[in-house]
Amino acid sequence: MAMNAVARHGVSIALACRAFEISETCYRYSPVLSDENEQIEDWLKRLTKNERTWGFRLCFSYLRNVQGYGWNHKRVYRIYCELELMKRDKPEPLAVPDVPNVTWSMDFMADQLAVGRLIRTLNVVDEFNREGLCIEFDFSLPAERIVRSLNQIIEWRGKPQAIRVDNGPEYVSGKLMEWAEKHNVRLEYIQPGKPRQNAYIERYNRTVRGELLSQNTFETIEEAQDQATQWLWTYNNERPNMGMGGITPAIKLKTAA
């Protein structure tokens, strides 16, 4: 109100402050607070737009520890709540197919042999029962190799309706697209930078990394493939999957028979 009196009626700041019983320091400091609040709003909006999984604590820690702002915790949280950022849209979980071979997920991982030479793996999972359908090791896995691996899986498992993949060069190649069209299989591409849209294979990759790749040293490609084949059998038949209530992929597959 004091600011309105000064702006609209030409009253001096000193007189306006006496009339409304506020200090001149408080009057002059208000615009600074307002500017800072706008800065906080801008930061919070940008952070939560670019980092959709970040909650208030991550945002505040980033502003305090990375950017060096000394804003009060309660002040930033009040603005966070006023912007209703805790209610922003969250990614919906992927639907679980009711039967096998509805959707497979496919992705690559990287590792190295004992001598330091880089190797790659091709991982394929059925989203129905999280069953590992393939771990293929080699130094290079071009589109031709992917097609060959998929054909081998189809020989004993049958073909999927769709395969969920990222936008890597192997997946957008003409050979893979031709194969998919020939077999009437949809290639479902996730959005760039949205790995959660391929959550099943991402979770599976973490398991492969933690229980196979990080626990073993491979001298040759052949040794890596042999150990992966053994591990995959254990994963599918003996390892409880907590994402499915503690049953194995093999047990869930039997429920669909």
Side-chain angles (χ1 to χ4, degrees), residues 1-213:
M1 296 178 69
M3 295 179 68
N4 287 338
V6 173
R8 295 184 179 181
H9 304 292
V11 177
S12 69
I13 293 176
L15 180 58
C17 288
R18 286 197 298 271
F20 292 100
E21 298 181 344
I22 63 173
S23 69
E24 292 188 36
T25 300
C26 179
Y27 175 91
R28 298 180 187 280
Y29 189 64
S30 294
V32 176
L33 286 176
S34 177
D35 291 344
E36 283 192 346
N37 287 348
E38 289 182 4
Q39 189 178 9
I40 294 171
E41 286 186 14
D42 181 63
W43 266 111
L44 290 175
K45 288 176 180 177
R46 280 190 287 159
L47 283 175
T48 53
K49 179 180 179 181
N50 296 331
E51 306 291 346
R52 297 190 61 82
T53 62
W54 284 21
F56 171 74
R57 289 184 179 181
L58 268 176
C59 291
F60 181 76
S61 295
Y62 178 84
L63 293 175
R64 174 65 64 87
N65 300 324
V66 178
Q67 294 298 326
Y69 291 110
W71 294 318
N72 179 272
H73 176 277
K74 293 181 178 179
R75 179 184 179 190
V76 178
Y77 183 68
R78 174 179 58 78
I79 295 173
Y80 183 87
C81 292
E82 289 175 353
L83 295 173
E84 297 186 337
L85 295 175
M86 74 291 292
K87 298 179 181 180
R88 67 188 189 276
D89 294 337
K90 297 182 179 180
E92 295 184 3
L94 292 173
V96 181
D98 295 326
V99 293
N101 291 345
V102 173
T103 306
W104 296 354
S105 296
M106 186 163 63
D107 198 14
F108 293 103
M109 297 181 69
D111 199 45
Q112 63 181 22
L113 298 178
V115 295
R117 187 172 180 183
L118 295 180
I119 57 177
R120 303 189 78 195
T121 74
L122 170 67
N123 299 340
V124 185
V125 173
D126 190 320
E127 295 186 358
F128 164 70
N129 64 333
R130 321 298 203 272
E131 181 180 1
L133 304 179
C134 166
I135 301 181
E136 191 84 16
F137 276 86
D138 213 327
F139 296 111
S140 177
L141 292 166
E144 294 86 352
R145 183 67 179 276
I146 297 173
V147 166
R148 189 176 77 190
S149 297
L150 291 175
N151 285 333
Q152 290 172 346
I153 299 172
I154 289 173
E155 286 180 5
W156 61 269
R157 179 57 180 260
K159 72 174 184 178
Q161 297 176 26
I163 301 179
R164 197 186 313 275
V165 297
D166 62 25
N167 288 273
E170 300 89 347
Y171 296 140
V172 297
S173 74
K175 287 189 177 295
L176 184 60
M177 291 181 177
E178 289 174 8
W179 176 89
E181 183 177 358
K182 177 181 177 181
H183 289 79
N184 195 28
V185 174
R186 296 192 319 278
L187 295 178
E188 296 186 352
Y189 294 97
I190 68 171
Q191 294 175 277
K194 303 288 185 179
R196 286 179 173 238
Q197 295 178 358
N198 211 359
Y200 292 125
I201 196 71
E202 290 290 327
R203 190 177 302 124
Y204 177 76
N205 286 351
R206 288 196 297 271
T207 304
V208 172
R209 176 70 65 190
E211 298 184 9
L212 174 63
L213 302 183

